Amino acid sequence: MTPSLQPPTEPTETRGHNGHAHANPGPSARPSEGHADGHSHGGSDAHSHGGSDSGSDGRPSGQSHGHGHSHGHGPAAPVSKHLRKVIAAVLIPFAVAVFVGMVVLWPGGAPGHERTGVGFDRQTQQGVVASIEQVDCASVNAGQAASSGNPAASGGGAAQAARRGECKKATVEVTSGPDKGRTFVEIVQPGAPRQLEDGQEVVVAYAPDAPRDLQYSVIDVNRKLPMALLAGIFAVAVVAVGRMRGLFALVALVVSFGVLTLFILPAILQGSNPLVVAVVGASAIMLIALYMCHGLTARTSVAVLGTLVSLLLIGLLGSGFIDWAFLSGNTDDNTGLIHGLYPDIDMSGLLLAGVIIGSLGVLDDVTVTQTSAVWELHHADPSMGPRALYRAAIRIGRDHIASVVNTLVLAYAGAALPLLLLFSIANSSMGSVANSELVAEEIVRTLVGSIGLVASVPVTTALAALVVSADRPGSPAGAPAAGPVRGRGRRRKR
């Protein structure tokens, strides 16, 4: 029988860890010594399914296969019992503090208020376009009529053009609420950005204090079906590719939105400090999402610690520069409406809370990736010390920094693109654009978040390198401390 000379597909493991010995057999290795049936299914999480090197299970050597199975949840944390206690001593009090903070700050629902009928603060119902009739704009006084979302067309040249064109007279039926079945007429001008079609589902606003004929008006189109279909496609794609990990990621996403809508937003509306609420809420989202998606392991705990340090840095920098730049956080109609309805809300604190929450998602990605890189480098070469691990992993981190920072800047620029176009139309200089509060907020948000992202790479990499390299032979976790065995292979005892 010809010896099976195969390089090890998994790191060398010591004999006390589930009876595995993955070694690189030398030329003199016997057939039973060189056979390591290594099956890899994604990562490098070694689950033992074979016989012991010492043959203590009584199975013949021909049946003693070392199966290194790696499932989607990544490698088991190769840390000693002492290090696990140290990590738990740090994270358990933190998790308890987050839980206590949520209990103390729990709002019990958003406070009620009287509707103003302005912007989003309007009573809305569902409706459907029952019929469409083409009419002469002049016959319905289109220049003075509501234009279905185009108030600029009610005067000037646009109104004159509308009077000479053909308008749509839409009969809309209310399909929800106490006035279900009631109909009203909506005039749609030719230049309106939103055109109505027969049978189209719409959202209608209700103004109870207005004259009866003007109580209802179309304010938007009902997009629930395409949005739900897109969300379903997203969920199927995530589960199809990520399988169980993807399913847990979707559950974590739902929980994150639950924390945001049931705790963070109502607590801020109740008058709690937005910064404190954001820190507690973001910490809860971080703990739930990371541990649910990546497992209750030391590797995840290191990513949590790296994320926490980076969030603290972002909070400190954001607080300092928001105060120094005199950013009020009240820069548009929406924030103005919030301040008008709830004048006790600290708008600058709300801005800082948005910076922290907005940075959290990208921070999770960076810290988990860096921690996984260190773990995989350690598995590839267990002889690497913490310095060598840090130097190797930080090279990966530099590439990650370049891509993530660029992504973050472009994401904010894309969201503010209409605003940037307005400044371009006005021929404003870059200095005056950057100095305006509306743009300065986005600049501070982007730069503070980017600094936190950049800092998370060396911090998380250093933590992971120290933790993963702390084990030596004889530790309870049985982590390898030396590279693949070269030269003569070791014979399995029969």
Side-chain angles (χ1 to χ4, degrees), residues 172-446:
V172 182
E173 179 183 353
V174 180
T175 58
S176 65
D179 290 334
K180 182 178 179 180
R182 178 176 167 181
T183 60
F184 65 95
V185 173
E186 184 85 7
I187 303 300
V188 184
Q189 297 181 9
R194 181 175 56 246
Q195 297 293 317
L196 300 180
E197 304 293 338
D198 191 11
Q200 187 177 35
E201 295 184 351
V202 294
V203 179
V204 299
Y206 174 59
D209 297 333
R212 179 175 175 81
D213 293 341
L214 302 176
Q215 285 182 334
Y216 282 97
S217 61
V218 176
I219 60 171
D220 210 341
V221 175
N222 191 329
R223 304 179 180 89
K224 292 182 179 179
L225 180 59
M227 299 294 286
L229 180 60
L230 182 60
I233 295 173
F234 165 74
V236 170
V238 170
V239 174
V241 177
R243 299 190 179 181
M244 286 304 298
R245 174 110 28 126
L247 180 61
F248 282 124
L250 291 177
V251 175
L253 181 63
V254 173
V255 173
S256 298
F257 272 104
V259 173
L260 182 64
T261 57
L262 298 178
F263 171 70
I264 295 178
L265 300 181
I268 293 175
L269 291 178
Q270 291 283 10
S272 299
N273 187 297
L275 177 58
V276 176
V277 172
V279 169
V280 173
S283 300
I285 292 173
M286 173 184 65
L287 291 172
I288 295 171
L290 286 179
Y291 282 117
M292 184 174 291
C293 293
H294 305 285
L296 194 64
T297 64
R299 185 176 72 176
T300 308
S301 299
V302 172
V304 168
L305 289 174
T307 305
L308 177 61
V309 172
S310 302
L311 281 178
L312 291 176
L313 177 61
I314 289 174
L316 292 174
L317 285 175
S319 178
F321 279 94
I322 287 175
D323 290 341
W324 192 11
F326 298 100
L327 298 178
S328 65
N330 188 3
T331 54
D332 57 21
D333 292 340
N334 293 327
T335 54
L337 179 59
I338 293 172
H339 185 65
L341 293 174
Y342 301 96
D344 294 333
I345 293 180
D346 180 8
M347 300 304 294
S348 61
L350 186 63
L351 172 62
L352 180 57
V355 173
I356 293 174
I357 295 174
S359 302
L360 178 61
V362 189
L363 273 178
D364 288 351
D365 172 44
V366 173
T367 55
V368 169
T369 301
Q370 282 305 113
T371 307
S372 298
V374 174
W375 246 258
E376 295 302 326
L377 287 169
H378 178 73
H379 274 282
D381 187 359
S383 64
M384 295 175 67
R387 291 186 178 181
L389 279 173
Y390 178 84
R391 286 194 297 266
I394 202 67
R395 288 193 292 269
I396 301 173
R398 291 189 185 105
D399 292 336
H400 205 182
I401 286 173
S403 61
V404 168
V405 169
N406 192 49
T407 300
L408 191 62
V409 171
L410 290 179
Y412 283 127
L417 195 57
L419 177 64
L420 297 178
L421 284 175
L422 287 177
F423 282 111
S424 178
I425 293 171
N427 292 323
S428 301
S429 65
M430 291 301 297
S432 61
V433 169
N435 189 64
S436 65
E437 184 173 1
L438 198 57
V439 176
E441 280 188 3
E442 299 303 325
I443 293 176
V444 170
R445 191 195 311 269
T446 302

Side-chain angles (χ1 to χ4, degrees), residues 21-106:
H22 293 268
N24 188 11
S28 60
R30 298 190 179 186
S32 62
E33 299 167 352
H35 187 72
D37 188 9
H39 301 284
S40 176
H41 301 287
S44 55
D45 189 9
H47 296 282
S48 62
H49 300 284
S52 169
D53 284 349
S54 62
S56 60
D57 60 354
R59 294 171 59 183
S61 62
Q63 298 176 359
S64 298
H65 302 298
H67 297 274
H69 287 277
S70 292
H71 304 285
H73 52 276
V79 294
S80 64
K81 184 177 180 180
H82 174 70
L83 281 176
R84 288 197 297 269
K85 288 183 178 179
V86 172
I87 293 174
V90 175
L91 288 178
I92 289 179
F94 170 65
V96 171
V98 171
F99 177 76
V100 172
M102 291 189 69
V103 172
V104 172
L105 297 172
W106 191 261

